[in-house]
């Protein structure tokens, strides 16, 4: 068996230490990337729910339908209280005041969710 010089063995150990640090940094970067994607997907999903609820008002969807009611209930939950249709940011008068109010308030809420989601995604992403 050939013996290795002492210097080469120390160099190998130093390389392994640096590789461990690189692996850890890569894992943190992957975790941050995945967290950024999850935050963005959640914000886009909430914006889509609000948009679907606004369109249900615009299209005068059947309020007795379970799906329409579920979308509107979800939108009412995720409107942050600021864009609630019971106490809207801006309330329109007739004709079609309820439709305009829903489109305006839920539309602004959609934009807010998308902006906040994008900002958080940019902060989290490495």
């Amino acid at each position: 068996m050939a013996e290795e010089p002492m210097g080469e063995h120390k160099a190998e150990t130093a390389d392994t230490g640096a590789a461990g640090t690189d692996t850890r940094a890569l894992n943190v970067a992957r975790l941050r990337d995945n967290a950024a994607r999850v935050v963005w997907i959640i914000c886009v999903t909430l914006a889509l729910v609000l948009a679907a609820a606004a369109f249900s008002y615009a299209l005068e969807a059947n309020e007795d339908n379970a799906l329409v009611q579920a979308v509107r209930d979800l939108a009412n939950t995720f409107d942050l209280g600021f864009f609630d249709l019971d106490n809207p940011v801006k309330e329109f008068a007739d004709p079609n005041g309820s439709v305009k109010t829903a489109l305006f308030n839920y539309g602004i809420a959609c934009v807010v969710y998308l902006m906040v989601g994008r900002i958080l995604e940019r902060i989290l992403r490495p």
Side-chain angles (χ1 to χ4, degrees), residues 2 5 12 18 32 34 36 42 46 59 64 74 89 93-94 120:
E12 257 181 45
R32 289 179 60 191
N34 288 336
I42 288 171
L46 295 177
L59 299 174
D64 296 331
L74 281 172
V89 172
D94 284 331
L120 289 175

PDB file of all heavy atoms in Angstrom, residues 2 5 12 18 32 34 36 42 46 59 64 74 89 93-94 120:
ATOM      1  N   ALA A   2       0.460   2.195  -0.817  1.00  0.00           N
ATOM      2  CA  ALA A   2       1.208   3.441  -0.887  1.00  0.00           C
ATOM      3  C   ALA A   2       0.683   4.384   0.174  1.00  0.00           C
ATOM      4  O   ALA A   2      -0.516   4.479   0.410  1.00  0.00           O
ATOM      5  CB  ALA A   2       1.061   4.064  -2.261  1.00  0.00           C
ATOM      6  N   PRO A   5       0.923  11.399   1.393  1.00  0.00           N
ATOM      7  CA  PRO A   5       1.592  12.448   2.147  1.00  0.00           C
ATOM      8  C   PRO A   5       0.573  13.166   3.029  1.00  0.00           C
ATOM      9  O   PRO A   5      -0.599  13.261   2.709  1.00  0.00           O
ATOM     10  CB  PRO A   5       2.140  13.386   1.072  1.00  0.00           C
ATOM     11  CG  PRO A   5       2.053  12.651  -0.210  1.00  0.00           C
ATOM     12  CD  PRO A   5       1.049  11.583  -0.031  1.00  0.00           C
ATOM     13  N   GLU A  12      -7.941  17.399   1.529  1.00  0.00           N
ATOM     14  CA  GLU A  12      -9.207  16.710   1.340  1.00  0.00           C
ATOM     15  C   GLU A  12     -10.197  17.091   2.430  1.00  0.00           C
ATOM     16  O   GLU A  12     -11.358  17.345   2.170  1.00  0.00           O
ATOM     17  CB  GLU A  12      -8.989  15.181   1.402  1.00  0.00           C
ATOM     18  CG  GLU A  12      -8.996  14.512   0.067  1.00  0.00           C
ATOM     19  CD  GLU A  12      -8.795  13.020   0.214  1.00  0.00           C
ATOM     20  OE1 GLU A  12      -9.436  12.407   1.083  1.00  0.00           O
ATOM     21  OE2 GLU A  12      -7.993  12.476  -0.542  1.00  0.00           O
ATOM     22  N   ALA A  18     -15.759  22.808   3.128  1.00  0.00           N
ATOM     23  CA  ALA A  18     -16.314  23.820   2.235  1.00  0.00           C
ATOM     24  C   ALA A  18     -17.536  23.275   1.493  1.00  0.00           C
ATOM     25  O   ALA A  18     -18.508  23.987   1.271  1.00  0.00           O
ATOM     26  CB  ALA A  18     -15.260  24.287   1.244  1.00  0.00           C
ATOM     27  N   ARG A  32     -35.919  28.819   0.762  1.00  0.00           N
ATOM     28  CA  ARG A  32     -36.422  30.171   0.510  1.00  0.00           C
ATOM     29  C   ARG A  32     -37.174  30.244  -0.815  1.00  0.00           C
ATOM     30  O   ARG A  32     -38.204  30.903  -0.914  1.00  0.00           O
ATOM     31  CB  ARG A  32     -35.271  31.169   0.523  1.00  0.00           C
ATOM     32  CG  ARG A  32     -34.705  31.410   1.911  1.00  0.00           C
ATOM     33  CD  ARG A  32     -33.558  32.369   1.902  1.00  0.00           C
ATOM     34  NE  ARG A  32     -33.990  33.667   1.379  1.00  0.00           N
ATOM     35  CZ  ARG A  32     -33.159  34.627   1.068  1.00  0.00           C
ATOM     36  NH1 ARG A  32     -31.855  34.457   1.195  1.00  0.00           N
ATOM     37  NH2 ARG A  32     -33.605  35.779   0.615  1.00  0.00           N
ATOM     38  N   ASN A  34     -38.778  27.755  -2.309  1.00  0.00           N
ATOM     39  CA  ASN A  34     -40.058  27.065  -2.137  1.00  0.00           C
ATOM     40  C   ASN A  34     -41.034  27.900  -1.316  1.00  0.00           C
ATOM     41  O   ASN A  34     -42.228  27.949  -1.631  1.00  0.00           O
ATOM     42  CB  ASN A  34     -39.847  25.693  -1.494  1.00  0.00           C
ATOM     43  CG  ASN A  34     -39.222  24.707  -2.447  1.00  0.00           C
ATOM     44  OD1 ASN A  34     -39.317  24.843  -3.662  1.00  0.00           O
ATOM     45  ND2 ASN A  34     -38.554  23.707  -1.900  1.00  0.00           N
ATOM     46  N   ALA A  36     -41.108  31.154  -1.161  1.00  0.00           N
ATOM     47  CA  ALA A  36     -41.544  32.249  -2.022  1.00  0.00           C
ATOM     48  C   ALA A  36     -42.626  31.767  -2.988  1.00  0.00           C
ATOM     49  O   ALA A  36     -43.616  32.476  -3.219  1.00  0.00           O
ATOM     50  CB  ALA A  36     -40.350  32.816  -2.797  1.00  0.00           C
ATOM     51  N   ILE A  42     -50.432  31.202  -2.835  1.00  0.00           N
ATOM     52  CA  ILE A  42     -51.528  31.517  -1.912  1.00  0.00           C
ATOM     53  C   ILE A  42     -52.151  32.867  -2.266  1.00  0.00           C
ATOM     54  O   ILE A  42     -53.372  32.994  -2.339  1.00  0.00           O
ATOM     55  CB  ILE A  42     -51.033  31.499  -0.451  1.00  0.00           C
ATOM     56  CG1 ILE A  42     -50.755  30.057  -0.012  1.00  0.00           C
ATOM     57  CG2 ILE A  42     -52.043  32.153   0.484  1.00  0.00           C
ATOM     58  CD1 ILE A  42     -50.054  29.939   1.324  1.00  0.00           C
ATOM     59  N   LEU A  46     -56.014  33.511  -3.563  1.00  0.00           N
ATOM     60  CA  LEU A  46     -56.959  34.400  -2.879  1.00  0.00           C
ATOM     61  C   LEU A  46     -57.473  35.486  -3.818  1.00  0.00           C
ATOM     62  O   LEU A  46     -58.653  35.843  -3.783  1.00  0.00           O
ATOM     63  CB  LEU A  46     -56.297  35.010  -1.645  1.00  0.00           C
ATOM     64  CG  LEU A  46     -55.922  34.008  -0.545  1.00  0.00           C
ATOM     65  CD1 LEU A  46     -55.217  34.716   0.601  1.00  0.00           C
ATOM     66  CD2 LEU A  46     -57.138  33.260  -0.048  1.00  0.00           C
ATOM     67  N   LEU A  59     -72.210  38.886 -13.216  1.00  0.00           N
ATOM     68  CA  LEU A  59     -72.998  38.011 -14.092  1.00  0.00           C
ATOM     69  C   LEU A  59     -74.351  37.652 -13.499  1.00  0.00           C
ATOM     70  O   LEU A  59     -75.088  36.853 -14.079  1.00  0.00           O
ATOM     71  CB  LEU A  59     -72.204  36.727 -14.388  1.00  0.00           C
ATOM     72  CG  LEU A  59     -70.875  36.945 -15.109  1.00  0.00           C
ATOM     73  CD1 LEU A  59     -70.115  35.632 -15.216  1.00  0.00           C
ATOM     74  CD2 LEU A  59     -71.108  37.547 -16.487  1.00  0.00           C
ATOM     75  N   ASP A  64     -78.714  31.059  -4.965  1.00  0.00           N
ATOM     76  CA  ASP A  64     -79.103  29.824  -4.289  1.00  0.00           C
ATOM     77  C   ASP A  64     -78.164  28.666  -4.617  1.00  0.00           C
ATOM     78  O   ASP A  64     -78.214  27.632  -3.951  1.00  0.00           O
ATOM     79  CB  ASP A  64     -80.531  29.444  -4.668  1.00  0.00           C
ATOM     80  CG  ASP A  64     -81.544  30.476  -4.181  1.00  0.00           C
ATOM     81  OD1 ASP A  64     -81.263  31.133  -3.152  1.00  0.00           O
ATOM     82  OD2 ASP A  64     -82.595  30.633  -4.839  1.00  0.00           O
ATOM     83  N   LEU A  74     -66.238  32.619   0.730  1.00  0.00           N
ATOM     84  CA  LEU A  74     -64.770  32.675   0.781  1.00  0.00           C
ATOM     85  C   LEU A  74     -64.263  34.089   0.536  1.00  0.00           C
ATOM     86  O   LEU A  74     -63.356  34.568   1.226  1.00  0.00           O
ATOM     87  CB  LEU A  74     -64.163  31.722  -0.252  1.00  0.00           C
ATOM     88  CG  LEU A  74     -64.127  30.249   0.104  1.00  0.00           C
ATOM     89  CD1 LEU A  74     -63.672  29.423  -1.095  1.00  0.00           C
ATOM     90  CD2 LEU A  74     -63.202  30.015   1.282  1.00  0.00           C
ATOM     91  N   VAL A  89     -65.193  50.225   0.637  1.00  0.00           N
ATOM     92  CA  VAL A  89     -64.339  51.394   0.463  1.00  0.00           C
ATOM     93  C   VAL A  89     -65.113  52.452  -0.316  1.00  0.00           C
ATOM     94  O   VAL A  89     -65.110  53.631   0.026  1.00  0.00           O
ATOM     95  CB  VAL A  89     -63.043  51.013  -0.294  1.00  0.00           C
ATOM     96  CG1 VAL A  89     -62.243  52.237  -0.651  1.00  0.00           C
ATOM     97  CG2 VAL A  89     -62.223  50.046   0.527  1.00  0.00           C
ATOM     98  N   ALA A  93     -74.186  53.911  -6.328  1.00  0.00           N
ATOM     99  CA  ALA A  93     -75.646  53.987  -6.316  1.00  0.00           C
ATOM    100  C   ALA A  93     -76.195  53.287  -7.556  1.00  0.00           C
ATOM    101  O   ALA A  93     -75.458  52.929  -8.468  1.00  0.00           O
ATOM    102  CB  ALA A  93     -76.077  55.452  -6.297  1.00  0.00           C
ATOM    103  N   ASP A  94     -77.494  53.099  -7.556  1.00  0.00           N
ATOM    104  CA  ASP A  94     -78.140  52.464  -8.707  1.00  0.00           C
ATOM    105  C   ASP A  94     -78.004  53.339  -9.932  1.00  0.00           C
ATOM    106  O   ASP A  94     -77.833  54.546  -9.814  1.00  0.00           O
ATOM    107  CB  ASP A  94     -79.619  52.215  -8.392  1.00  0.00           C
ATOM    108  CG  ASP A  94     -79.785  51.026  -7.464  1.00  0.00           C
ATOM    109  OD1 ASP A  94     -78.934  50.129  -7.518  1.00  0.00           O
ATOM    110  OD2 ASP A  94     -80.759  51.000  -6.690  1.00  0.00           O
ATOM    111  N   LEU A 120     -43.679  40.032  -1.119  1.00  0.00           N
ATOM    112  CA  LEU A 120     -43.198  38.974  -0.221  1.00  0.00           C
ATOM    113  C   LEU A 120     -42.382  37.925  -0.977  1.00  0.00           C
ATOM    114  O   LEU A 120     -41.372  37.429  -0.467  1.00  0.00           O
ATOM    115  CB  LEU A 120     -44.372  38.312   0.492  1.00  0.00           C
ATOM    116  CG  LEU A 120     -45.068  39.156   1.543  1.00  0.00           C
ATOM    117  CD1 LEU A 120     -46.295  38.418   2.074  1.00  0.00           C
ATOM    118  CD2 LEU A 120     -44.129  39.515   2.667  1.00  0.00           C
TER     119      LEU A 120
END
